[in-house]
Amino acid sequence: MPTRPHILVTNDDGITSPGIQALAAALREVGRITVVAPDSNWSISGHQKTLRRFLRADPFPDFPVEGVTAYASSGAPADCVAISFQGLLRDKPDMVVSGINIGPNLGQDITYSGTVAAAFETAIFGYPAVAVSLNNRSPRAHFGDAATVGAQVAAQVWANGLPSHSLINVNVPDLPASEWQGIAVTRLGVREYTDELVVGEDPAGRPYYWINSVEPGGKTELENTDIWAVHRGYVSVTPIRLDMTDDVLLSRVQEWEL
Ligand code: MN
């Protein structure tokens, strides 16, 4: 294992997001950085993978962080990871860090998140991955402290390793580091979505349906969950695995008359 890893940095907000720029800059302390990120915003696209049309991945010399090689891709976040491991990059990355997402990825959010999907894709390839999200939905948020702690977690992942098919999901509270309560290792919490369906009619008289997204809440009282931690000013660090088998349900299903 090389002492300094080759780190692929990607995201779902797009290569021009201030979040990925801050993250790539901070990760230079940990390793050599290559950015392969989408050329547009793929937020809430989940684990989209593109198999039925071609993808671009052009050099992006305008990436504003010195010492970083960057490519902008027409693909989704998971595509950026896949093409990087499958030949875009002459030397394969040792690990992937995705983010910093503009907005949190807590509880069930991780199933919608393109940021976390990039980490899932990395885990499928058998490499360690970290996803980093900031609990602030403004692109004008301060990403510097989140980038520093993201790099700290990435260094620990590199030093300690991860089991194959696992990843680390980091959520940072919307506070300066001096006001953080600490870093909490957590489990996934429970989100509560209150989206509303807006029904309208297009100019031709045909109905349309618009899922109007409302800032989700969640069970903030469930101790040691990601939602509990971020709500209290902790940086949340959640180990996630791809094996979603429900072991409790498995033994119950075995009792069914199948
Ligand atoms: Mn996003």
Side-chain angles (χ1 to χ4, degrees), residues 11-14 41-44 100-103 105 113-115:
N11 75 346
D12 77 352
D13 296 327
N41 193 319
W42 285 85
S43 293
I44 327 175
I100 298 167
N101 190 57
I102 300 174
N105 281 303
S113 168
T115 306

Side-chain angles (χ1 to χ4, degrees), residues 35-189:
V35 168
V36 181
D39 61 13
S40 62
N41 193 319
W42 285 85
S43 293
I44 327 175
S45 62
H47 201 144
Q48 153 80 25
K49 189 145 178 191
T50 306
L51 301 181
R52 289 167 190 249
R53 56 183 177 82
F54 69 82
L55 299 170
R56 301 282 190 191
D58 294 323
F60 189 78
D62 294 336
F63 194 79
V65 180
E66 214 171 308
V68 170
T69 306
Y71 298 83
S73 173
S74 59
D79 294 322
C80 292
V81 170
I83 63 177
S84 294
F85 280 113
Q86 295 197 295
L88 172 68
L89 306 182
R90 207 174 301 135
D91 54 334
K92 280 188 189 179
D94 298 303
M95 62 185 296
V96 175
V97 185
S98 179
I100 298 167
N101 190 57
I102 300 174
N105 281 303
L106 300 162
Q108 303 97 300
D109 294 347
I110 71 165
T111 66
Y112 300 116
S113 168
T115 306
V116 183
F120 277 127
E121 184 73 4
T122 308
I124 288 171
F125 274 87
Y127 289 83
V130 180
V132 185
S133 304
L134 179 64
N135 188 30
N136 181 325
R137 295 194 195 270
S138 168
R140 286 168 299 283
H142 176 67
F143 294 95
D145 291 343
T148 303
V149 78
Q152 187 186 332
V153 173
Q156 284 297 301
V157 164
W158 181 244
N160 294 292
L162 287 183
S164 175
H165 297 173
S166 289
L167 57 104
I168 299 289
N169 187 41
V170 179
N171 280 275
V172 181
D174 184 26
L175 296 168
S178 58
E179 292 174 35
W180 292 345
Q181 296 299 309
I183 299 180
V185 179
T186 59
R187 55 183 302 116
L188 280 182

